[in-house]
Amino acid sequence: MFSKSKITDPIDAKRDDATKPAPSPSAPPIPPSSSASSAPSAPAPSRPKAPPSLLSQDLTITGNISTTGDIQVEGEVEGDIRAHLLTVGETATIRGEIVADDVVVNGRVVGRVRGIKVRLTSSARVEGDIIHKTIAIESGAHFEGSVQRSDDPLGGGAKPAPKPAASAPAPSASPAPSSSDD
């Protein structure tokens, strides 16, 4: 009564499916033109997306992290992170620059955040500038810094001039006068 659409599989009408075993639902389909003896002329079909790398709560990393995949941080990172999707867990602290397509901050970040989509949840604590294409800040999130919209937030543009250090007294050669009585 029903048949497969000619648009999705035009050669089904020409081949006898009864002689071929049904493909496994978990295995990627093999194109009809490929064979084991011929040289591959096209790139292999894309693999299923890998799960995010998890940096657990008891882990402390000193150094930069770079991946084309996804990362979920629950521990501490002292260094820059570059990823496709970065999720900063509620127990996480990152001290360094974040550069990712998607950034979700649930924990603490001290440093600049650059992302196409940036989301600060109600438990987020961010101290640093955010350069984004789209941003969402939930009620309750703590943010200290500036927000700048950019069509290309991931571009390697020049960093803004650093802010002056906190007002700490300058070291002096002479001791300060004491106000205590002798």
Side-chain angles (χ1 to χ4, degrees), residues 54-61 73-76 91-92:
L54 176 63
L55 305 179
S56 67
Q57 187 173 355
D58 62 343
L59 186 64
T60 300
I61 293 179
V73 178
E74 297 294 338
E76 281 191 42
T91 59

Side-chain angles (χ1 to χ4, degrees), residues 1 16 22 26 44 51 53 55 65 67 77 85 94 100 103 106 114 123 131 141 147 152 165-166 168-169 171 173:
M1 185 166 161
D16 181 15
S26 63
S53 299
L55 305 179
I65 300 171
T67 182
V77 175
L85 166 67
I94 297 175
V103 181
N106 300 304
R114 293 190 302 154
S123 60
I131 302 171
V147 178
D152 184 21

Side-chain angles (χ1 to χ4, degrees), residues 106-141:
N106 300 304
R108 184 168 185 227
V109 175
V110 179
R112 183 166 36 168
V113 177
R114 293 190 302 154
I116 295 172
K117 291 192 292 185
V118 177
R119 181 173 152 220
L120 306 183
T121 66
S122 60
S123 60
R125 307 289 179 259
V126 177
E127 299 171 33
D129 298 337
I130 298 176
I131 302 171
H132 65 89
K133 190 168 186 178
T134 62
I135 189 165
I137 302 175
E138 292 181 3
S139 178

Side-chain angles (χ1 to χ4, degrees), residues 13 48 70 101 155 165 178:
D70 303 345
D101 291 339
S178 175

